[in-house]
Amino acid sequence: MTYQSIKVVKGRGGWGAGLTLTPTDSKKIVLSVTSGGIHPVAAKIAELSGAEAVDGFTNQVPDAQVMCAVINCGGTARIGVYPRKRIPTVDVYPGEPGGPLAQFITEDIFVSAVTPNEVTLADEAAVAAAAAAPASGEVDEKRVAYEAKKAEAKAAAKSTGGFSGFVVSFGEAIGMFINTLLASGRQALKLVMSTIIPFMAYVSLLIGIVTFTGISKWIANGVQPLAGNPFGLILLGVITAIPVLSPILGPGAAIAQVVGVLMGQQIAAGALPVQYALPTLFAINGQVGCDFIPVGLSLGEAEPETVSVGVPAVLFSRLITSPVAVLIAYLASFAI
């Protein structure tokens, strides 16, 4: 099999320095994790490079065989799953480091806002530069030697015992405690600033648009007949959990956010009884997590057979459990 090196660069509004990818006999899979079959970007990468495009939503491929992963995430948990494994990641959305795994997303392993137009054959100079570039995380011998000497000095101080050993041990424990708190606070603040606040702003803007344009009334009037009775809520739960729709509605849960706010407004205005709040919540969230099933199985290092059976099994089980959850919530709502 003849393989070609390709160059993947960021698109408009994207992030990353670009990737130079070269398939080999042992690493030739382009994993498309976009919950919609083989994405055009994954197909283009496979076509130009001679690699094989595989739908990661229905197939599990060992990480050692993956040349790159193609995802569609705007900056939540999924965006950092493959960079954490040091698998080159191509995001078709204009994402950037964000979410709980943001620290693993680096320019040498990630590029975003990619369309088929940003995938081209690499020239020989680019391939040579990529091969000559030091690998990320390359060991710095001087740094290692310094850390070894520091560790030896600490061990020697501890071994002396007495007051000196106590001071060293106590200082080390306090330092670890403070550094842990600082690191946790830094990561929490970064997560809030880069992920939570932008998403809140997006949802607020979306709600403002649909309210100003009158779309909110149309959605509310369309959903109200379903939300106004238990059988309609059960039907709404079935619709949101349909295996074809649920992976599409899952990312960001924007639809559930908007419909939830609109239904909350209807309940607050007295148009709907308050006891419908709980079953409505379950009815509009039947799709939650359905787009993350293959990624979750991958994180759990599931076997290929498990993924091929597990994804449709979870999707179809959600089609059953979603209306059942709505019914249970409706019965429980009488206690509110």
Side-chain angles (χ1 to χ4, degrees):
M1 181 68 184
T2 302
Y3 299 119
Q4 296 286 338
S5 297
I6 62 166
K7 180 71 174 179
V8 183
V9 298
K10 65 181 179 181
R12 183 176 181 181
W15 188 90
L19 303 174
T20 300
L21 305 173
T22 305
T24 62
D25 289 335
S26 60
K27 193 183 289 287
K28 59 179 180 180
I29 300 299
V30 179
L31 196 64
S32 179
V33 193
T34 54
S35 67
I38 304 298
H39 193 275
V41 171
K44 182 71 173 294
I45 292 175
E47 177 187 355
L48 293 183
S49 65
E52 177 184 356
V54 174
D55 184 1
F57 201 78
T58 56
N59 301 278
Q60 174 69 10
V61 178
D63 293 340
Q65 298 179 14
V66 178
M67 179 183 72
C68 70
V70 178
I71 64 172
N72 59 341
C73 181
T76 52
R78 190 170 22 150
I79 196 172
V81 170
Y82 295 101
R84 182 182 183 183
K85 300 178 180 181
R86 297 303 299 167
I87 295 176
T89 304
V90 178
D91 193 350
V92 299
Y93 286 177
E96 59 183 28
L101 301 177
Q103 66 269 29
F104 299 104
I105 305 173
T106 55
E107 288 193 337
D108 64 320
I109 205 75
F110 180 87
V111 65
S112 64
V114 178
T115 68
N117 295 331
E118 278 74 53
V119 181
T120 58
L121 288 173
D123 53 34
E124 296 181 0
V127 176
S136 178
E138 183 178 344
V139 178
D140 187 338
E141 295 182 359
K142 293 184 178 179
R143 181 68 180 178
V144 170
Y146 169 75
E147 293 294 340
K149 290 182 179 179
K150 187 167 67 172
E152 290 177 2
K154 285 184 178 181
K158 289 182 181 179
S159 63
T160 59
F163 183 73
S164 297
F166 170 77
V167 169
V168 172
S169 300
F170 182 76
E172 189 175 29
I174 292 296
M176 181 179 297
F177 177 73
I178 294 176
N179 286 332
T180 301
L181 291 182
L182 288 175
S184 300
R186 190 181 298 112
Q187 291 181 5
L189 181 60
K190 185 176 181 180
L191 179 62
V192 170
M193 295 298 295
S194 63
T195 302
I196 298 178
I197 291 181
F199 185 74
M200 291 174 61
Y202 156 71
V203 173
S204 300
L205 178 62
L206 184 59
I207 293 174
I209 291 175
V210 299
T211 302
F212 178 78
T213 58
I215 297 178
S216 61
K217 294 182 179 179
W218 178 81
I219 295 176
N221 292 333
V223 177
Q224 186 172 346
L226 296 179
N229 63 86
F231 297 103
L233 288 174
I234 293 174
L235 177 59
L236 184 60
V238 171
I239 293 174
T240 58
I242 293 176
V244 178
L245 294 178
S246 55
I248 299 175
L249 298 176
I255 301 301
Q257 293 273 3
V258 174
V259 175
V261 171
L262 295 177
M263 296 312 299
Q265 292 175 349
Q266 293 294 311
I267 294 173
L272 293 174
V274 68
Q275 59 262 32
Y276 285 155
L278 186 60
T280 299
L281 174 65
F282 282 89
I284 64 177
N285 282 299
Q287 83 290 345
V288 172
C290 287
D291 62 315
F292 199 73
I293 297 171
V295 179
L297 290 172
S298 175
L299 288 174
E301 299 181 354
E303 296 293 334
E305 295 80 5
T306 304
V307 176
S308 61
V309 176
V311 172
V314 174
L315 291 177
F316 280 100
S317 67
R318 186 65 65 85
L319 187 61
I320 299 172
T321 58
S322 178
V324 171
V326 174
L327 179 59
I328 295 175
Y330 175 74
L331 298 176
S333 65
F334 287 99
I336 298 179

